[in-house]
Amino acid sequence: MRSTPLTTVRNLGILAHVDAGKTTVTERILYATGTTHKRGEVHDGTTVTDFDPQERDRGITIFAAAVSCSWDGHRINLIDTPGHVDFADEVERSLRVLDGAVAVFDAVAGVEPQSESVWRQADRHGVPRIAFVNKMDRAGADLDAAVTSLRERLHPAPLAVQVPIGAEDGFTGVVDLLRMRALVWADGAQAPEERPVPDALRAEAAHRRRALEEAVAERHPAALEEFCDRETLSTATLAAALRDLTRAGDAVVVLCGSAYRNRGIEPLLDAVVAYLPSPADVPPVRGTHDGTEQERAADPAAPLAALAFKVNATPTGRLTYLRLYSGTIEKGDTVWDAGTNRTERIGRILRVRADRHDPLERAVAGDIVAVVGLKSARAGSTLCAPGAPIVLEPPGVAEPVVHVAVEARRSADTDRLATALARLTEEDPSLAVRSDPETGQTVLSGMGELHLEVAVERVRREYGVEVAVGRPGVAYRETVSGGVTGFVFRHVKQDGGAGQFAHVVLDVEPWDEGGFVFRSAVVGGRVPQEFVRAVEAGCRDALAEGPLGGHPVTGLRVTLTDGSTHVKDSSDTAFRTAGRFGLRDALRACAMVLLEPVVEVTATVPEDAVGGVLGDLAARRGRVTGSVTRSGATVVTATVPLAELFGYATRLRSRTQGRGTFTARPTGYAPAPAPAPAR
C-alpha cells in the first residue's frame, strides 16, 4: 500500500518564539537531507518555507508551511509554524495534526514569552517534544542557562545530551554524551567530522554523562534496574529510555547548535528519528458518530478518517491540507465531509514542499498531504469514508481581540472586497468579518495589529482591491460584579390564534471561572425540562449584547429558580423568548463591569533607556511585573491594556534610538476604568 513503512514516518512541527531561528532550522534540515541544494536565508528572502511576499518583506513566518524530506530511511513531514503571537491560531491548527515537535530556543535569551505560549499549546495537545538551543555562536550564548530557563519556566525535565565545543564565535561542534564522541563542523563543510572527545572536555563530558544516566534512571524503571545492577547505563539502554521518556512527555531531550552556521542539524535529525513517535506509536484517533465515541487506528486498510487543518482559497482554486489518521485515499475517490454532510471528490493528491507540489497517486494513514477538488471543506472539517462516518475534534479557534473598519476605496470594488474577505476567513478561522448594524461598515476582526495588517495587505496584493482602513479597536466584554436574586419576568403575547405564555424567575450571580453557566433549581415540575432547555437557549441569546455598551457578556451564572406555564399557550418559543428578555432585563438590574483585553509585554531595551520606557508603560496604564538585566540589556515585563498598545512599536524605537524590541501575548481580560463623566 505504501513505499514508506508507517514506523519510518515522522510528522513534526518547528515551534519557537519569533526570531529564535525556526525558519533557518527548517532550511538547514532541507539542505542536510538533500531536499534543497542551496541554503536559503531569511534576510535574503530565499527561504523555501517563507515563500509568501509578505513573509519575505517582513522577515518573519506568517503562514504555517508544510515540507517533506527524507533522512536515514525515514520520511519527515515537517511544518514550520509562525512565532509571532498574532498567528498563534496557525500554530494551534498545526499542533492538532502533529505527532511531535522540535522547540527552538535562543541560546542567549532562553525561554521567551511566545516560546512559553507555544509550549503550553503543545502541552494541551499532548505533543512530545525535543528542544534545540540555537544560536550557540552568539555573544552571551550559554547552554546551561538555557536549560535552567527551560526547567524553571516550562517545568519539564530537560535532559541535555550534548556539550558544546567552544563558545560564542569559537563554537565549532558538540560532544555527543550517548556515544561519547565529538562532532565538529569545519567552515564550509556539509557534514560533521567525528573525532574523539577533546582532552579539555573529557572530564566534563564524563561528569555530564554520569549526571544524565542518574537523571534518566530516576524516571525510567528499566534504566533504574540496569543502573542499580551495573552502576552505569549502556548506550542502547540510555537511548531507549530517552525515547520512552520523550514519547510519554516525562522528559525533554536537549540538543544545541547554530543553524545559521549549519552546525548541529544532523544530530537534531538523528534525535527526531530516534526519540519522536511515528504515527504507529501514537494512540488511535478518537471521534464520534451519532453520540457514540469511536477510535480509528493508523491502519491504511481501515476506513478513511482525515482532518483538514489548513485551506488555501486562491482565485485559481482551493488547496486543502489533510492529515490522514486511518485509511487510504486515491485520485478520484469520493469522501464524506462530516461537517457539511455532503460528498466531495478528490481531484488530485499532492506531496507538499511549501509552494511547490509533487503529484501522488495515493496517500495513506500517517501522511500529511494537500488535495485539490474539495469545494466546501474548511479548516477543522473531518473527511471520512461514506460508509463509515466519524467526526474528529476540530482545532480550537481563538476569539478575535482587535478589529478595524474596512471599505473599498472605489464603489465598483465593493463586491470584490466581499469576495476577498470571504476567502481570507475561509483560510484563517481566527479572522472574522461582520457588518456593524449601526454604521453599516464592514468590520474585520483578528488577533492583533499585525494580523490585520497582513490580511489587508493580502486583499491589496492578491485581489487588487484598494482598501481604506479605520483606526483599530479592541473587543471589550462585560461581566457581572453584583447579581440579583428572584428576578421575575413574564412573557405574555395574545394577538389572535395561539398565544405565548412563559413565566420565569432568575438568579444572576458572578462566576469567577469565566464563561456562562446555567442551572435549574425548579422543583415540582413547575417548568418542564424541555422548557428549561429553551430558557437556557434564550439566556445564551441575551449574552450577545450587554447593557453597558452592547458587548458580549461573560463570567456569570444564571439559575432558574421558579416559573409557571399555561396549558395551551406555553411553548419552547415562548420560554426561549422569556429567557432572552428576562436575562437582558436582569443584567440591567445587576452591577456590571466593562472588561478590556490585556497583554503581557516583554520589552528588551538598553540600560540607559529603562527609565523612559518604564514611564511610557505607566502612561499606558501598564503594570510592571518584572525587570532583569541580561547581556547588557534590560528585559522589562509588564501587563498593559491592549487598547493602549497601538503604535507602541514606533514609540519604543524612538525612546531607545531603534535599539529596543518588544513582544506581547494575550493574558485575558481585566476591568476597564470607568469613563470620565461628561461635562
Side-chain angles (χ1 to χ4, degrees):
M1 294 292 292
R2 68 177 299 139
S3 58
T4 306
L6 198 62
T7 54
T8 60
V9 174
R10 298 291 185 272
N11 294 317
L12 70 140
I14 307 294
L15 313 174
H17 183 89
V18 65
D19 286 338
K22 298 178 309 305
T23 300
T24 303
V25 169
T26 305
E27 286 297 316
R28 298 306 185 262
I29 287 176
L30 295 178
Y31 183 69
T33 57
T35 307
T36 59
H37 303 288
K38 183 179 179 181
R39 290 180 286 184
E41 305 293 354
V42 173
H43 54 270
D44 292 335
T46 56
T47 58
V48 171
T49 53
D50 284 358
F51 58 85
D52 186 86
Q54 287 202 72
E55 293 179 310
R56 294 184 170 178
D57 290 348
R58 299 173 186 270
I60 61 171
T61 300
I62 296 173
F63 310 106
V67 291
S68 187
C69 56
S70 298
W71 178 258
D72 193 23
H74 291 70
R75 164 70 62 184
I76 298 176
N77 298 316
L78 187 152
I79 297 180
D80 178 23
T81 65
H84 198 285
V85 66
D86 282 17
F87 309 104
D89 207 60
E90 285 272 327
V91 182
E92 185 74 17
R93 293 196 298 275
S94 300
L95 282 170
R96 174 63 180 81
V97 300
L98 295 174
D99 301 324
V102 174
V104 181
F105 300 92
D106 188 312
V108 178
V111 176
E112 298 175 271
Q114 188 60 12
S115 310
E116 193 168 348
S117 296
V118 296
W119 190 273
R120 301 302 176 212
Q121 286 177 284
D123 280 342
R124 289 198 305 272
H125 290 280
V127 175
R129 279 141 284 169
I130 57 179
F132 182 69
V133 179
N134 192 27
K135 303 187 178 183
M136 288 296 297
D137 57 326
R138 283 186 60 194
D142 189 332
L143 176 62
D144 289 337
V147 170
T148 299
S149 70
L150 271 167
R151 182 183 296 108
E152 293 177 350
R153 296 194 61 177
L154 304 181
H155 310 294
L159 301 175
V161 296
Q162 294 176 340
V163 178
I165 299 175
E168 300 179 352
D169 282 344
F171 173 74
T172 58
V174 297
V175 173
D176 176 5
L177 294 180
L178 267 73
R179 296 170 179 80
M180 293 304 287
R181 58 177 181 169
L183 299 174
V184 178
W185 286 265
D187 287 338
Q190 295 187 5
E193 179 185 346
E194 185 173 333
R195 301 177 184 175
V197 178
D199 293 340
L201 289 174
R202 193 163 294 163
E204 181 183 357
H207 171 72
R208 289 181 181 256
R209 164 71 184 232
R210 178 71 177 183
L212 176 63
E213 291 177 356
E214 292 174 352
V216 169
E218 287 177 5
R219 295 169 174 83
H220 194 277
L224 177 61
E225 184 176 345
E226 180 174 318
F227 190 79
C228 291
D229 289 344
R230 301 175 50 191
E231 295 187 359
T232 187
L233 292 178
S234 66
T235 299
T237 300
L238 187 55
L242 288 173
R243 180 179 62 249
D244 293 342
L245 293 172
T246 299
R247 294 179 180 181
D250 295 329
V252 176
V253 171
V254 182
L255 302 96
C256 64
S258 168
Y260 179 68
R261 295 195 177 185
N262 204 33
R263 295 171 182 172
I265 299 302
E266 291 86 357
L268 175 63
L269 285 165
D270 290 337
V272 165
V273 167
Y275 306 131
L276 292 181
S278 73
D281 298 320
V282 298
V285 68
R286 293 176 177 269
T288 58
H289 175 58
D290 288 340
T292 60
E293 189 171 289
Q294 298 184 2
E295 287 187 350
R296 295 280 172 88
D299 180 1
L304 174 68
L307 187 70
F309 66 95
K310 183 178 175 67
V311 174
N312 278 355
T314 65
T316 57
R318 300 175 83 253
L319 198 64
T320 307
Y321 292 77
L322 302 179
R323 161 66 193 267
L324 274 70
Y325 288 98
S326 68
T328 302
I329 57 172
E330 297 185 2
K331 285 197 307 181
D333 278 356
T334 298
V335 298
W336 181 261
D337 186 337
T340 60
N341 287 327
R342 58 181 291 181
T343 57
E344 297 261 30
R345 184 178 178 277
I346 303 292
R348 289 186 294 152
I349 305 172
L350 305 172
R351 176 80 68 195
V352 182
R353 186 159 70 87
D355 58 339
R356 301 176 185 177
H357 313 104
D358 298 322
L360 297 174
E361 290 299 318
R362 66 168 60 88
V364 302
D367 275 337
I368 292 179
V369 295
V371 297
V372 178
L374 304 184
K375 297 179 180 178
S376 60
R378 301 288 186 268
S381 294
T382 300
L383 302 178
C384 53
I390 188 174
V391 179
L392 306 179
E393 182 182 358
V397 179
E399 287 191 26
V401 294
V402 179
H403 61 262
V404 292
V406 294
E407 63 178 347
R409 291 190 180 275
R410 298 183 304 171
S411 58
D413 288 340
T414 301
D415 290 343
R416 293 175 62 198
L417 174 61
T419 301
L421 293 177
R423 283 182 175 150
L424 288 183
T425 55
E426 187 179 337
E427 291 187 21
D428 186 352
S430 61
L431 285 172
V433 177
R434 64 180 175 86
S435 178
D436 190 310
E438 294 183 2
T439 63
Q441 290 178 308
T442 299
V443 178
L444 177 65
S445 304
M447 304 307 299
E449 273 188 287
L450 181 59
H451 191 202
L452 296 181
E453 282 179 23
V454 168
V456 170
E457 187 62 23
R458 287 192 65 194
V459 171
R460 290 174 177 150
R461 290 190 182 191
E462 297 177 22
Y463 300 93
V465 179
E466 284 301 317
V467 181
V469 181
R471 187 180 184 278
V474 300
Y476 290 96
R477 297 287 184 269
E478 299 178 23
T479 192
V480 175
S481 61
V484 294
T485 58
F487 188 88
V488 180
F489 185 86
R490 290 176 181 271
H491 173 63
V492 182
K493 186 177 181 182
Q494 194 73 45
D495 54 2
Q500 292 187 19
F501 177 88
H503 165 221
V504 296
V505 181
L506 303 175
D507 289 352
V508 182
E509 57 187 322
W511 187 248
D512 294 338
E513 297 179 18
F516 169 70
V517 176
F518 181 89
R519 62 174 185 156
S520 172
V522 177
V523 296
R526 290 177 58 80
V527 179
Q529 187 60 38
E530 62 267 24
F531 292 161
V532 170
R533 290 192 292 268
V535 173
E536 179 180 359
C539 289
R540 292 187 182 276
D541 293 341
L543 299 177
E545 296 183 0
L548 294 181
H551 310 292
V553 182
T554 186
L556 73 160
R557 181 169 70 174
V558 176
T559 305
L560 177 64
T561 59
D562 200 1
S564 61
T565 62
H566 186 277
V567 65
K568 291 184 178 180
D569 294 344
S570 291
S571 63
D572 282 357
T573 301
F575 272 91
R576 182 164 185 159
T577 303
R580 178 184 178 186
F581 289 102
L583 181 55
R584 187 192 65 177
D585 291 351
L587 290 175
R588 290 172 178 165
C590 294
M592 301 293 293
V593 174
L594 186 67
L595 300 176
E596 61 181 349
V598 294
V599 297
E600 181 186 76
V601 173
T602 302
T604 303
V605 299
E607 292 185 48
D608 57 3
V610 171
V613 170
L614 292 177
D616 186 47
L617 288 172
R620 296 172 183 268
R621 297 190 284 124
R623 181 172 55 86
V624 176
T625 57
S627 176
V628 297
T629 300
R630 182 191 299 153
S631 302
T634 300
V635 181
V636 178
T637 306
T639 301
V640 185
L642 180 59
E644 301 288 347
L645 213 57
F646 297 132
Y648 182 62
T650 302
R651 177 62 66 89
L652 181 66
R653 283 195 294 267
S654 67
R655 286 188 175 274
T656 61
Q657 298 177 334
R659 296 177 291 165
T661 61
F662 84 100
T663 59
R665 64 185 182 103
T667 58
Y669 283 80
R679 295 184 177 179

